[in-house]
Amino acid sequence: MNLHESEKIGGILSARGYVATENEENADVIVFNTCCIRENAEDRAEGNIGALKKLKAKNRDLIIAVGGCMTQQKDFAEKLHKTFPFVDIIFGTHNLENFGTLFDRKLSQKKSVIEVLPKEETIVEGTPKFRTSYPNAWVNITYGCNNFCTYCIVPYVRGRERSRKLEDIVSECKELIAEGYKEITLLGQNVNSYGNDLENVDFATLITEISKIEGKFRLRFMTNHPKDLTEKLVKAIAESDKTCRSVHLPVQAGANRILKLMNRKYTREDYFQKVEILRKYIPDVAITTDIMVGFPTETEEDFLDTVDLVKRVGFSGAFTFIYSKRKGTPAEKMDGQIDEQISKDRIMRLIDLQNNTNREQSKEYLNKTVEILCEDFDEKKKMYLGRDTYGRMAYFKSDKNLIGEFVNVKITKTGGISLLGEIV
Ligand code: 5AD
Ligand code: SF4
């Protein structure tokens, strides 16, 4: 999500004649697109902004801008301006698409431009994009979130859920395929509720419509909410020859008591049922997840419920997080905040468990041939890499640049999560 927003900021600057540079010493403009979902992301952003003070002192013409969801938090922009007065532009998530106007205003005045809108705007179409992830292209389908999970800051900094029109999404996808992109990843805080604010469309319809676009490409989407994953949608995924056989279904926790406190609106039993539906229609589906440990009041027993759920589902991958207290969320006020050491111990046990599962799953790949979309070249390994339909990463050698091509790779070695193979 943030990455694609950076592509939009890049697009707005490209349209003004700026080109990208790897070296900040050479830069005329530096934009921070921040995230505040967890405290460490926020700390890192502040550290990086602070580190630019010297550069700004050396180069007075350098324009430094800070946007994203960190600045969108209540009273944050003023605080940021006081701490880092050398920052030229401060904007939020709600006016990201208007960054160009703020930038132009800054060019014509000495004073800093600070504009963070209190409320989300209607969707703006047609923002230029400086895409950086060929052969994949990110496509927003919804903005904002209505779920209000009690730990999460997203609904406060990104506003209510808004869906882009189906025609706009499909025509963007058509253009991208015509331009040569080989993979489209649809983005939304909860893509499953796409269309709730529109008439006669839902996410299943969108998948079906995008799948009709001619040409060979892959369709992915993230992220999903278990409560909104319907049988109709799973059927649409199963019937689409473009949609990858992998679904990211964040579970967050395995204990019903914690799920309730999190306001996730499903139980562990409901979650198992969703997994069953997925496997009924897409027997080989790879399910990945997000899991949080150390949510307020989480006991060892609750954590063991999470461990049990992870074992039972057999995830193909899991992003694990230690609960991070976010200002203004209901969980911030909850009694029973968990000691960091306990959370660290729990997350390590969870990571070990998932690593073992990944190693076991990788073994099944040995000597098999898989279709990989070549995505990148690893300079250190001197190998190309890409993923199969299940999202599993494979590395392989080639003398020819294969980025953007589908290749058949025979897996010759399996270690941890990624695979090693040769083109056949
Ligand atoms: N603390 C830790 N992890 C969080 N996430 C969201 N909010 C928090 C928080 N306050 C995690 C969730 C979500 C993922 C994108 O980030 O697991 O699915
Ligand atoms: Fe946050 Fe929950 Fe919305 Fe995801 S669904 S963005 S975790 S509030």
Side-chain angles (χ1 to χ4, degrees), residues 37 145-155 189-190 223 225 252 264:
I37 196 145
C145 183
N146 289 349
N147 286 319
F148 290 94
C149 302
T150 54
Y151 50 80
C152 187
I153 197 152
V154 168
Q189 305 296 342
N190 173 15
T223 188
H225 195 303
Q252 312 299 358
R264 289 291 289 177

Side-chain angles (χ1 to χ4, degrees), residues 23-30 32 48-64 86:
N23 183 350
E24 62 182 31
E25 305 266 334
N26 289 341
D28 297 310
V29 186
I30 298 178
F32 289 92
N48 289 336
I49 299 164
L52 283 190
K53 193 175 174 186
K54 273 197 203 136
L55 196 61
K56 178 81 181 183
K58 261 203 290 185
N59 175 8
R60 290 255 142 226
D61 295 331
L62 170 67
I63 295 180
I64 300 175
F86 57 88

Side-chain angles (χ1 to χ4, degrees), residues 191-211:
V191 290
N192 308 148
S193 50
Y194 169 77
N196 280 0
D197 54 334
L198 302 175
E199 265 170 45
N200 298 326
V201 283
D202 59 12
F203 189 50
T205 328
L206 182 64
I207 295 259
T208 309
E209 288 307 308
I210 297 175
S211 301

Side-chain angles (χ1 to χ4, degrees), residues 37-38 151 252 290 292 321-324 326:
I37 196 145
R38 282 171 294 274
Y151 50 80
Q252 312 299 358
D290 292 346
M292 202 184 296
F321 307 102
I322 291 179
Y323 162 74
S324 167
R326 302 286 64 207

Side-chain angles (χ1 to χ4, degrees), residues 94-112:
H94 301 327
N95 58 350
L96 178 132
E97 319 269 345
N98 198 30
F99 175 70
T101 314
L102 305 182
F103 184 78
D104 296 342
R105 201 189 303 159
K106 174 60 212 173
L107 289 182
S108 66
Q109 73 180 50
K110 236 176 127 43
K111 233 173 64 186
S112 299

Side-chain angles (χ1 to χ4, degrees), residues 386-405:
R387 284 173 300 159
D388 69 0
T389 183
Y390 308 107
R392 187 65 59 133
M393 190 79 80
Y395 288 81
F396 47 93
K397 286 211 161 88
S398 164
D399 296 331
K400 204 176 115 202
N401 181 357
L402 293 174
I403 296 174
E405 287 186 35

